[in-house]
Amino acid sequence: MQLRQNNLRKLPERVFDALIVGGGINGAAAAAALSGKGARVALIDRGDFAGSTSMHSSNLVWGGIKYMESGDFALVRKLCKSRNHLIESYPSTVQEIRFLTTINRGFRHHPLYPWAGTWLYWLMGGAFTRRPHFLRPAGIKAREPIIDTAKAQGGFEYSDAYLHDNDARFVFNFVRGALDFGTVAANYVESLGARREGELWVTRMRDRMDGRTFEVRSKVLINAAGPWVDQHNSLSGQQTDHRHVFSKGIHLIVPRLTDSRRVLAFFADDGRLFFVIPMGPRTCIGTTDTRVEKPEVGATEDDIRFVLDNINTRLALETPLCKADIIATRCGVRPLAVKPSGGDDRDFLNLSRKHAIDIDPEMRHLSIFGGKLTDCLNVGEEVVEEVARLGVAIPYPKVRWYGEPDASLREAFLHQARLMDLDAMTAEGASEPLSTRLWRRYGAQALEMLEEIRQDPRQGEVLIEHTEYLRCELKQARRREMVTKLEDFLRRRSKISLVVPEQTIRDSPGLREACDILFDEQAEARLAEYLASASPESAGLASEGESGEGPKPQRGW
């Protein structure tokens, strides 16, 4: 908590080159890019970082193969290049994975047609990944016996990429990088509106933890509030070319359905691509695509039934999946950028996730619409270019602000890990060796953890039962990751609450010790706050017949 308190003290004391409102993927990437290149940056979020759309993704980093059918080849080419760049820049986190797509009889195209499309997709991606393959039903069954091929006409296998860990963790690492570059960031701080005074923006803020209000001054104001961009623009008097429409999507986390490390893809009953995605000891299935009017959403019984029915129809499971198998539910909105003159009444399922940045040069204000994880590096670079055009000095324009530490540092870490036989401490049943996991999550900071484990072997023990998180990781989270509520750690700095049943977490004897490490004298209050909260599934479940709007999440501007 000390990191957050220190930053709260700094926010009203300085004049920043840019204040970024919203700590999802757009805001996090913009903060890392600007501060990495020398700008003085402040970043706030009304809830926790990555607390909305950025924690409800499919964990896929893909070039947008679905946009091939609508002919948006320029976007596909751009996203493929972005995907390739992420794979190269984050080899431990963003990894190539095979997609096995099954086409059933009665589909609008013969399987050879989309298979030909995967070759064009592969070429547009610079032949960066493994080649596509056409598969007959017997070939599909041989690769994945779990697929029901009784109605299959054929299929194909091609490559894209996915996040090996957690989308919210990936986003937070941009925030952590921005902090390392000097960004002053704080979560649970909301903007109450902004006004222009002379050459500066003055933004009034409220600390949502204690209710204190204060003002922050900046030369440029960047609205990266995700689904709430339009709402915050109304507070700052901004008129923009774009606006958002919203698509609700849900995913269900269930016990692992197959041991193979590939994504299974189908076309769901509504014509949308439907995925079965590996998630360590679990499987993520979904998604839905439902037009909604507001960003505050919850999963309905109909949503859950749609996902379960689609998966049970397409997989040859010994026992069909039911609600009792659901470990966690992810539910959020995709904010889709449209222009009022662009006619958003066109096929809703074909609206793309491309981002748009609207600029008010006179007021020195930026609004970031749309976007997705795959395009995050482009967003960061574009924001830097636009802020520079507004007259803000960028002292180090050539600095690389993203990516894993270089190979020599990684080898130094792995060498030390081998000398202390770290991987022998890997918990039984873990999904990967301990050295691999620590490097992917923490990079250079993983070296500090080796020293802690050498001094006290207990620091290498799993603390919360049935998870893959060590005592030293909790200490790291306390020092460097601005964990303000227990849910921040369980859901966003880690993926514990996605893969471990809630009751198991609540019953874990290590949960109280985790709170002691994270919160010191506030441990009792934070534990009570978590235990008193509704379960993630019930909190996001809208009753039958509702529009899907649930309780407002702790995330916005």
Side-chain angles (χ1 to χ4, degrees), residues 368-428:
I368 307 175
F369 292 88
K372 58 190 298 180
L373 289 170
T374 310
D375 213 19
C376 61
L377 301 186
N378 290 328
V379 170
E381 293 289 353
E382 289 173 29
V383 167
V384 171
E385 291 175 8
E386 297 299 342
V387 169
R389 288 193 186 101
L390 296 176
V392 173
I394 305 296
Y396 309 105
K398 302 298 183 183
V399 163
R400 180 182 169 97
W401 52 273
Y402 55 87
E404 292 183 14
D406 61 45
S408 62
L409 190 58
R410 180 176 184 271
E411 183 51 40
F413 166 78
L414 292 176
H415 182 61
Q416 290 191 35
R418 285 190 293 267
L419 291 175
M420 62 188 290
D421 201 15
L422 179 70
D423 287 345
M425 303 175 66
T426 305
E428 185 179 353

Side-chain angles (χ1 to χ4, degrees), residues 55-60 249-254 272 275 277 279 283-288 299 304 307 326 328-332 334 498:
M55 73 172 188
H56 292 304
S57 79
S58 299
N59 275 26
L60 299 179
I250 77 159
H251 298 85
L252 307 179
I253 313 301
V254 298
R272 178 182 173 82
F275 299 112
I277 304 165
M279 185 182 277
T283 295
C284 176
I285 56 176
T287 180
T288 59
I304 293 172
V307 174
I326 300 172
T329 301
R330 313 175 94 173
C331 178
R334 308 169 188 89
L498 281 179

Side-chain angles (χ1 to χ4, degrees), residues 118 137 150 223 234 299:
T118 64
N223 181 355
S234 68

